[in-house]
Amino acid sequence: MTSLSIGRLARATDVKVPTIRFYEQIGLLPEPERTQSDRRLYGEADVRRLAFIKHARQLGFAVEAIRSLLALADDPDRPCAEANALAAEQLAVVETKIERLQALRHELRRMARADCDGRAGDCRVIEALGDHSLCADDHDRPATPGALGAL
Amino acid sequence: MTSLSIGRLARATDVKVPTIRFYEQIGLLPEPERTQSDRRLYGEADVRRLAFIKHARQLGFAVEAIRSLLALADDPDRPCAEANALAAEQLAVVETKIERLQALRHELRRMARADCDGRAGDCRVIEALGDHSLCADDHDRPATPGALGAL
DNA sequence: CTTGATCCTCTAGCGGCTAGAGGATGCAGG
DNA sequence: CCTGCATCCTCTAGCCGCTAGAGGATCAAG
C-alpha cells in the first residue's frame, strides 16, 4: 500500500499543502496517520477524497455543501436525494451569477466603448459611474445577498 | 445647505450604516463634519460620492480600483486613460468569470440531469464529483488566481 | 557533515463587509 | 419633565476559504 507525504499528496491532487492542512482542520479530510517524526501519511483513499473536494470546490460548492456530499459518498446506503438537491441548488446559484455578470458586462462594455481620451472631467467612464441613471441595466436590483460575493 | 445623519445618508443611497463607516475607515469617504455630540454630518457631495462608490462596487470594481477612479473624478484635469484602463480590466475580469461560470453551469446541468433517486452509492452526482474524468469541461485549467473568488 | 528541501505548529492577514457589546444621545408622546 | 425607543457612537470579533510567514525539526542527497 502506497503512502504519501503531504507534499506528494499536494502534487498528486494539485492542491496546496497549507490547503490540505486547512481541510483537515475543518474536518473535510480525516486526521491521517503520522510517522514517528509526526509527519502526515496519506493513502489512496485520501487522494480520492481530496480530488472529490477539489472538484466540488471548482464547481463552486460551499464547504458545508461538500461536507454533506462527502457524508453521502461515505455512506452509500443513504438516499441520494440530498445530493441532487445540492447540485440543483448550486446550479441555481451559478445561473443567477451568470445572469448578473452578463448585466455587468453589458454595462461595462458600454463604458469601455466610450473610450474617451481627454481629461477626467469629461471622461465617460467616470461620468457613467457617477450617474447611475445613465444605466440601462437593472444591476441595482435586490439580488441574492452575496450574489456579488464569492463565486 | 442640506445635511444628513448617517442613517439618512444610508437610506438615500441604499448603503448600510456600518458600510458607510467602513468606507470612511478605509478612506473612500472623507471624514465628515460632526455635531457637538459627535454625530456624523453629510452633505450633497457625500451622497454623490457614496452613490459613485456603490455603483462601482455593483459593477464589481475592487476597492483599490474605486480609490483610483475617485481620485480621477476628484481631479478633472488629469487624463482619463487610467479610468478607461480600469474599466477595460474590469470588463476582462467579468468576461473571464462568465466563461468560467458557463463551464460550471454546463457541468452542473449534466450532473443535475442525472437526477438519480436511489442510494447514494449509485448517485450520479456523487459519482461525477468523485471522478473528474467524467467531465467534458476543462474547468480545471489554471485560470486566474481568484477567478473562483470574489466577483 | 552539510546543505537545502520538506515538514511541523501556530498566528495573523486578505477582501469587503456584517454583527454585536456597551454606552451616549435625540426626539416624540403623555 | 419624564419615559421610552430610535439612532448614534466606538470597539472588537466574525464571516469564507484560504494564504503567508515565523520559528523550528527532520529528511535525503552529495
Side-chain angles (χ1 to χ4, degrees), chain A residues 27-28 30 45 49 52 66-78, chain B residues 120-121 126:
Chain A
L28 287 191
R49 192 176 183 90
F52 185 104
I66 297 176
R67 208 185 291 280
S68 307
L69 291 167
L70 282 168
L72 289 166
D74 285 344
D75 184 354
D77 286 331
R78 284 174 52 185
Chain B
I126 298 224

Side-chain angles (χ1 to χ4, degrees), chain B residues 6 9 15-32 34 40 42 50 53 57 61-64 66-67:
Chain B
I6 195 170
L9 176 62
V15 172
K16 288 176 191 158
V17 168
T19 304
I20 295 174
R21 287 195 275 246
F22 173 73
Y23 286 158
E24 177 184 330
Q25 195 189 311
I26 63 174
L28 286 191
L29 288 175
E31 294 188 20
R34 300 277 187 140
R40 290 167 176 85
Y42 297 95
L50 184 50
I53 295 169
R57 286 293 303 137
F61 286 91
V63 162
E64 284 316 302
I66 296 176
R67 210 185 290 281

Side-chain angles (χ1 to χ4, degrees), chain A residues 5 7 21 34 39-40:
Chain A
S5 70
R21 287 195 275 246
R34 300 279 187 140
R39 295 181 173 213
R40 289 168 177 83

